Amino acid sequence: MANFETVEVNTDLLIIGGGFSACGAATEAAYWAKKNGLKIALVDKAAMDRSGAVAMGLSAINQYVGVKDGENTLEDYVRYVRQDLMGISREDLVYNIARHVDSSVHLFEKWGLNIWLDEDGKYVHEGRWQLMINGESYKVIIAEAAKNALADAGGEIYERIFIVAPLMDGNKCVGAVGFNTRENQFYVFKAKAVIIGAGGAVHVFRPRSVGEGFGRSWYPPFNSGTSAYFTIQAGAEMTCQEVRFIPVRFKDAYGPVGAWFLLFKSRAISAEGGDYMVVREDELNNWAPYGLAKPIPANLRNYLGMLDVEAGLGPLYMETDEAIQKIAAEYKDDPKAYKKKMKELETEAWEDFLDMTISQAILWASQNVKPEEKHSEIAACEPYFIGSHSGASGAWVSGPEDIDTPYKWGYTNMTTVDGLFAVGDGSGASSHKFSSGSHAEGRIAGKSAIKYIVEKGAEPNVDMAKVEELQKKILAPLDLFEAHKGETTDPEININYIMPRQFLFRLQKIMDEYAGGVTSAFKTSKALLERGLELIGVLQEDSDKQAAGNLHDLMRIWENTQRMWIAESHIRTMLFREETRWPGYYFRSDTPKMDDENWKCFTNCRWDPNTGEWEMMKKDIWTMPGV
Ligand SMILES: Cc1cc2nc3c(=O)[nH]c(=O)nc-3n(C[C@H](O)[C@H](O)[C@H](O)COP(=O)(O)OP(=O)(O)OC[C@H]3O[C@@H](n4cnc5c(N)ncnc54)[C@H](O)[C@@H]3O)c2cc1C
């Protein structure tokens, strides 16, 4: 076996991930841990300052309810999420996050985040729920607060450690194992409770950007489905694994469109000039009641654009020039004010990208795009798994203690596995939490996990024979490469193994062609899904034939394996749900309609670690009384 030092870390609470939800969890848990003399360890695959989806920064905080100013009620937010998810949301979780999210935002401001203010000192809204920020350093600020809180409570931070799998004691999670991505070290974390906040998943599907552009995607490439893999492997029940997210974004550099639609009130049109939201309005009747209520769900907006593309009316364009000119027109009688306004709008347009998707600004510059003069191409991206945004996949977690729902079996945000809590992209059916809501949910889970430890936390009972077995399995790709690399002139081509990139391409091809990716126009069917599942099965047989020439390859391999598992749960759940509920995210051609009678429910799944069998389940939707 490869020569690795084993590093053992003993802690009370283990937080996996260093992104928004994990930072929230660390900040809150540190406070309660200090009070109770407990220890916290946080482990991130990258460096916390710039890890996760907010690494590059953001230009808006997408969830702010504004309760203190009477702007909205918590119930308004519950209704909004229900509407956007076509009726499928855990309203107890959405409500719980909504009632805590404003305080997270106020903390961000206190910690130094610049939230735009208007002349009256009020937050500048991008849309009803979104606040504009100068957000290039958003992640750095939030990570700094989490680090300070941990330092104050004597907590520890482990960076550049890739967590692979959970450590289990029956149905109880007692830690995690992983490896250092820079040094030959195998890490064994033993804990009384674990919070998984390792984000969603990208590159499960073949991206639009292949070849020279490979790696580019809307969802940052760092998250490979660790949260889902971890909870699935632990035997936790999962929910909404079919609800992927497909954003429509500026084409090829995936620049954000929120500011254009919401702040600049821009239209999106086909190459013929028709606004697909107007031209195809009648289609929305087929998706009532959601298609007929406002705001129209994101997937339906996508779908209308996709129908244009299917009809050969592409490319689609964002009417940036029209939007800018329209706003500036208010000042047309005063040439000086008009010029100033135009400059201001132009600056805002570029800053929107520079705050969070710098590559889009570079692409615009390289293609001579002047947003005030010419429209710009938009397109639907490949599918992603991001339960905190407009997707909904993730673990099925216990609801808040004080709300009377059928979803309570333990401490708030605990999965169906004892001692294992899930947050952010890791917890399902509670979409639209975004950065701020993920932070708030992290805080909720942080407090809840400490309560669990105080009330129930026993010393972790870790089976070291199992750890050894896991270590052998996790490091095996290094041994495989070492054993056979000399047998061919190009070590990348070898009959005894495949390299991680080849494996990834195979996974992406299967998902793209059978599970409704870009080249299948996001369409699939029972027959396609069944064939896809068969091919995933063959891929699984080959997953332990992946070989690693170095630590980086080893990380790529485990990222692949984690993606493969989320892919399987995705296919299985799409297969189980015999209807089309989210056209624009995916369309089942053999069941092309929404079927509320049979499928207005959660579709949950669980992989049994003892038998290796999957169980598929329906769970009732609980609607908040009076909402
Ligand atoms: C392109 C894009 C644009 C967005 N725009 C906005 C916006 O404008 N406004 C807004 O409010 N929200 C926005 N969001 C949503 C927001 O970024 C997410 O909701 C939020 O980051 C989710 O938090 P999280 O903790 O679940 O995941 P992340 O913040 O992504 O954190 C995941 C963490 O897990 C770590 N990790 C991953 N794998 C492992 C592993 N194997 N071992 C150890 N650690 C691991 C990562 O390094 C990272 O630290 C956007 C998201 C994306 C992708």
Side-chain angles (χ1 to χ4, degrees):
M1 190 166 65
N3 190 16
F4 271 54
E5 176 198 353
T6 300
V7 182
E8 196 175 304
V9 178
N10 291 288
T11 185
D12 293 305
L13 174 64
L14 175 65
I15 300 173
I16 303 173
F20 257 68
S21 58
C23 283
T27 307
E28 185 78 25
Y31 175 83
W32 300 103
K34 192 175 171 187
K35 267 186 185 299
N36 290 285
L38 297 172
K39 189 179 155 192
I40 304 176
L42 180 147
V43 53
D44 192 349
K45 162 191 188 176
M48 257 175 102
D49 279 348
R50 290 278 178 192
S51 65
V54 191
M56 261 201 284
L58 293 178
S59 54
I61 290 173
N62 280 358
Q63 189 187 5
Y64 182 70
V65 181
V67 174
K68 86 174 159 64
D69 295 328
E71 287 168 357
N72 297 293
T73 64
L74 304 176
E75 290 76 10
D76 289 334
Y77 206 78
V78 171
R79 270 189 290 271
Y80 161 64
V81 179
R82 179 195 298 158
Q83 159 71 4
D84 195 71
L85 265 290
M86 309 286 283
I88 312 292
S89 64
R90 276 282 301 273
E91 302 193 357
D92 57 331
L93 299 177
V94 173
Y95 183 87
N96 202 22
I97 294 167
R99 67 180 164 178
H100 289 97
V101 73
D102 288 4
S103 60
S104 266
V105 173
H106 300 150
L107 282 172
F108 299 167
E109 198 175 24
K110 191 175 126 198
W111 294 333
L113 180 70
N114 188 31
I115 305 180
W116 294 13
L117 298 176
D118 64 16
E119 296 90 20
D120 304 323
K122 291 235 156 85
Y123 291 145
V124 174
H125 278 258
E126 185 185 50
R128 181 173 179 185
W129 311 104
Q130 299 84 357
L131 303 180
M132 295 302 292
I133 56 173
N134 289 105
E136 186 278 338
S137 301
Y138 190 14
K139 181 65 208 297
V140 183
I141 292 168
I142 272 57
E144 184 184 45
K147 284 179 176 177
N148 287 344
L150 283 175
D152 186 48
E156 289 170 350
I157 297 172
Y158 297 84
E159 293 184 330
R160 304 202 185 282
I161 310 297
F162 184 92
I163 290 298
V164 179
L167 288 175
M168 300 299 295
D169 174 18
N171 187 44
K172 186 172 168 13
C173 185
V174 288
V177 289
F179 57 88
N180 191 329
T181 58
R182 297 273 166 100
E183 287 173 59
N184 283 6
Q185 288 177 324
F186 184 78
Y187 270 80
V188 182
F189 292 93
K190 297 179 180 174
K192 293 176 184 163
V194 176
I195 298 178
I196 180 83
V202 65
H203 287 318
V204 177
F205 281 80
R206 179 159 47 201
R208 278 187 185 274
S209 300
V210 291
E212 63 157 17
F214 185 70
R216 213 185 291 152
S217 54
W218 171 79
Y219 192 82
F222 328 116
N223 296 338
S224 59
T226 301
S227 301
Y229 179 80
F230 197 90
T231 44
I232 291 172
Q233 289 289 306
E237 193 170 322
M238 305 294 289
T239 190
C240 298
Q241 287 300 98
E242 77 279 36
V243 193
R244 61 190 44 207
F245 177 44
I246 294 181
V248 166
R249 292 295 182 264
F250 285 99
K251 190 162 177 297
D252 293 334
Y254 302 87
V257 296
W260 286 101
F261 279 133
L262 299 172
L263 193 69
F264 294 113
K265 309 275 184 261
S266 179
R267 295 184 313 138
I269 58 158
S270 73
E272 282 194 343
D275 177 342
Y276 52 77
M277 294 308 298
V278 177
V279 177
R280 297 194 179 271
E281 199 184 353
D282 283 353
E283 174 62 30
L284 296 172
N285 293 319
N286 296 329
W287 308 96
Y290 313 106
L292 302 179
K294 292 277 182 322
I296 297 165
N299 65 291
L300 290 180
R301 283 180 272 136
N302 284 359
Y303 185 53
L304 299 193
M306 285 172 186
L307 289 174
D308 266 10
V309 173
E310 212 172 284
L313 300 179
L316 303 180
Y317 290 106
M318 180 74 82
E319 288 286 83
T320 55
D321 48 335
E322 179 191 80
I324 288 185
Q325 302 291 348
K326 213 162 142 192
I327 301 172
E330 273 181 46
Y331 301 80
K332 67 178 186 312
D333 297 333
D334 178 349
K336 214 169 145 196
Y338 178 80
K339 205 172 158 198
K340 190 169 167 240
K341 190 67 189 171
M342 281 297 283
K343 191 82 212 148
E344 189 186 307
L345 291 167
E346 203 189 311
T347 308
E348 280 174 11
W350 286 92
E351 191 196 322
D352 187 41
F353 293 157
L354 293 171
D355 266 353
M356 62 184 285
T357 315
I358 299 153
S359 47
Q360 185 69 55
I362 295 169
L363 189 73
W364 265 13
S366 70
Q367 294 181 348
N368 304 322
V369 173
K370 291 186 179 166
E372 68 281 15
E373 287 179 9
K374 198 175 163 212
H375 59 199
S376 219
E377 206 179 333
I378 53 172
C381 307
E382 58 278 355
Y384 309 108
F385 297 91
I386 175 165
S388 68
H389 203 286
S390 311
S393 54
W396 184 242
V397 298
S398 191
E401 286 170 31
D402 61 330
I403 301 181
D404 191 16
T405 73
Y407 314 126
K408 282 192 291 192
W409 54 87
Y411 293 76
T412 311
N413 272 79
M414 194 171 92
T415 65
T416 55
V417 166
D418 210 19
L420 176 58
F421 296 74
V423 288
D425 294 329
S427 74
S430 49
S431 322
H432 291 274
K433 38 196 168 185
F434 303 102
S435 59
S436 44
S438 296
H439 191 273
E441 191 186 30
R443 286 170 51 213
I444 293 165
K447 184 173 175 185
S448 175
I450 294 290
K451 187 164 182 256
Y452 168 89
I453 296 170
V454 170
E455 291 174 0
K456 287 182 88 173
E459 279 308 315
N461 175 27
V462 176
D463 177 353
M464 287 315 282
K466 184 77 197 158
V467 170
E468 216 170 291
E469 200 183 297
L470 276 168
Q471 178 167 6
K472 219 167 154 192
K473 185 174 158 190
I474 290 168
L475 303 182
L478 291 164
D479 300 334
L480 188 62
F481 185 83
E482 215 35 53
H484 298 287
K485 67 175 185 200
E487 293 169 16
T488 52
T489 46
D490 181 351
E492 297 251 319
I493 301 163
N494 197 301
I495 198 168
N496 295 292
Y497 56 72
I498 54 174
M499 297 306 288
R501 184 173 280 248
Q502 297 161 329
F503 187 93
L504 181 65
F505 287 161
R506 229 172 105 189
L507 169 69
Q508 292 183 342
K509 182 171 159 60
I510 296 169
M511 295 307 285
D512 186 50
E513 293 177 0
Y514 299 93
V518 170
T519 60
S520 319
F522 311 109
K523 289 201 176 92
T524 186
S525 66
K526 182 171 189 279
L528 281 163
L529 290 166
E530 281 174 349
R531 177 68 184 138
L533 202 53
E534 229 175 277
L535 292 170
I536 288 279
V538 179
L539 184 73
Q540 264 164 8
E541 285 173 20
D542 285 347
S543 63
D544 59 2
K545 304 281 187 323
Q546 295 180 87
N550 51 48
L551 284 171
H552 188 74
D553 280 351
L554 190 66
M555 180 180 75
R556 290 286 182 243
I557 286 166
W558 284 104
E559 287 177 344
N560 283 346
T561 302
Q562 295 184 337
R563 289 185 177 108
M564 182 182 70
W565 278 77
I566 205 172
E568 180 173 356
S569 67
H570 184 50
I571 293 187
R572 284 186 185 278
T573 317
M574 283 198 294
L575 200 50
F576 183 61
R577 182 180 280 283
E578 293 176 331
E579 65 158 355
T580 295
R581 180 162 292 262
W582 299 276
Y585 290 167
Y586 76 90
F587 196 91
R588 254 192 73 161
S589 306
D590 55 335
T591 55
K593 292 199 171 131
M594 192 165 74
D595 173 5
D596 260 357
E597 203 178 311
N598 294 301
W599 292 102
K600 193 169 176 204
C601 61
F602 298 107
T603 43
N604 288 10
C605 64
R606 179 177 178 265
W607 179 77
D608 185 336
N610 298 315
T611 62
E613 297 292 320
W614 286 88
E615 184 192 352
M616 307 303 300
M617 303 157 251
K618 284 185 178 183
K619 288 278 157 90
D620 289 341
I621 307 260
W622 172 83
T623 307
M624 273 197 111
V627 178

